[in-house]
Amino acid sequence: MGTSPRPNLIDPVPLREMLRGIRFMVKRGGEALRSRATADRLPKPAADIANAVLDEMMGLGHRVNAQVSVLAKSMIGTEPDSDIMLEDLSATEAPANLFAATLYPAMKLATARMSLTGAFVSEAAARKAFAETVTSQKHVSGAHMAATLTFALIDAPVLQGHITSANALLSGDEAKAVAIFAVLLWLQSPREEADQEMALMSAVDLSGIFAKQIVTACGTRDAAALALLYAKYADNV
């Protein structure tokens, strides 16, 4: 008696990516339109109607994203693991999926902490960068692997969109490098289970102090210099 073929499972990462992209565009487009729907630009009745429509549009984007993301995760989604150390990831099942799922919320928090606007975090880009980097870096120390992974995440790119930084000393592209460094620093730091978010905020703030060193190392692709920063500061988060 033959067995029925196994059904094809849907990869939830590109599905979540698409839905997040829709939400991102609706939110960004809504913000741009809302800035034009003010009383000084439109008569008050028209401005009120325009803002009501925008509220509905943006609310719908969030609801659709939430509903379908839950469906995708219920099939074969990977839960984030904020306790995992970067060097231990390769020993887990589907490490690229776990890395990407863990990095996504951490990067959202890091960009918010840095007051970056216009940043879209790509879970799919993170997964691809990790899979390609770790395959060639299996026997390299954690700090050196993190340095190579930093460059891969910048190139992927894991942070997309026209990003602006509240820090006048950093351009949008420079702020991307600092945010990526901060999250990877956090993933290399010994941390208590109850203090995950606090440790991440500490990593972001610490990275901001030597941001220019990070930017210089990333700009020149100096893996040794970047690895030295990771090794030096991982225990200080």
Side-chain angles (χ1 to χ4, degrees):
M1 180 178 176
T3 57
S4 58
R6 184 179 178 181
N8 292 325
L9 297 178
I10 298 174
D11 183 352
V13 173
L15 179 58
R16 286 199 295 266
E17 190 96 339
M18 179 188 70
L19 293 165
R20 287 167 180 161
I22 292 171
R23 184 179 67 182
F24 179 79
M25 288 188 291
V26 168
K27 183 174 184 294
R28 297 294 294 170
E31 288 170 352
L33 289 170
R34 196 186 297 282
S35 69
R36 294 177 175 82
T38 55
D40 59 333
R41 290 175 178 266
L42 292 173
K44 190 176 188 313
D48 289 343
I49 293 170
N51 280 304
V53 171
L54 288 170
D55 286 341
E56 182 62 27
M57 267 180 56
M58 295 173 76
L60 179 62
H62 282 280
R63 287 197 298 273
V64 170
N65 180 76
Q67 290 168 359
V68 184
S69 290
V70 168
L71 175 62
K73 185 177 287 188
S74 71
M75 290 185 288
I76 55 168
T78 302
E79 291 290 343
D81 184 354
S82 57
D83 292 337
I84 194 95
M85 296 284 283
L86 182 63
E87 62 185 3
D88 297 330
L89 271 165
S90 58
T92 64
E93 184 179 354
N97 285 357
L98 180 58
F99 171 77
T102 303
L103 180 131
Y104 176 81
M107 194 63 72
K108 295 282 286 184
L109 288 171
T111 55
R113 180 75 168 185
M114 292 176 64
S115 299
L116 303 186
T117 56
F120 176 78
V121 182
S122 172
E123 183 182 352
R127 182 172 67 170
K128 184 174 185 290
F130 184 89
E132 293 177 349
T133 302
V134 173
T135 298
S136 62
Q137 298 282 313
K138 284 184 178 178
H139 305 294
V140 180
S141 71
H144 282 85
M145 183 179 74
T148 305
L149 183 56
T150 301
F151 302 148
L153 289 169
I154 290 171
D155 292 340
V158 71
L159 286 177
Q160 301 174 7
H162 181 68
I163 298 174
T164 56
S165 171
N167 184 342
L169 300 177
L170 294 175
S171 69
D173 285 341
E174 290 171 340
K176 289 180 192 179
V178 176
I180 291 168
F181 180 94
V183 172
L184 292 186
L185 181 66
W186 169 71
L187 279 172
Q188 296 172 82
S189 307
R191 53 200 186 275
E192 298 295 329
E193 183 177 354
D195 297 329
Q196 296 299 329
E197 186 170 337
M198 185 181 298
L200 177 58
M201 297 301 101
S202 175
V204 173
D205 294 345
L206 184 61
S207 300
I209 294 172
F210 50 91
K212 283 301 180 184
Q213 291 173 263
I214 297 169
V215 169
T216 299
C218 289
T220 58
R221 294 302 165 103
D222 190 339
L226 202 62
L228 187 61
L229 289 174
Y230 278 129
K232 183 177 180 179
Y233 292 107
D235 289 335
N236 295 333
V237 170

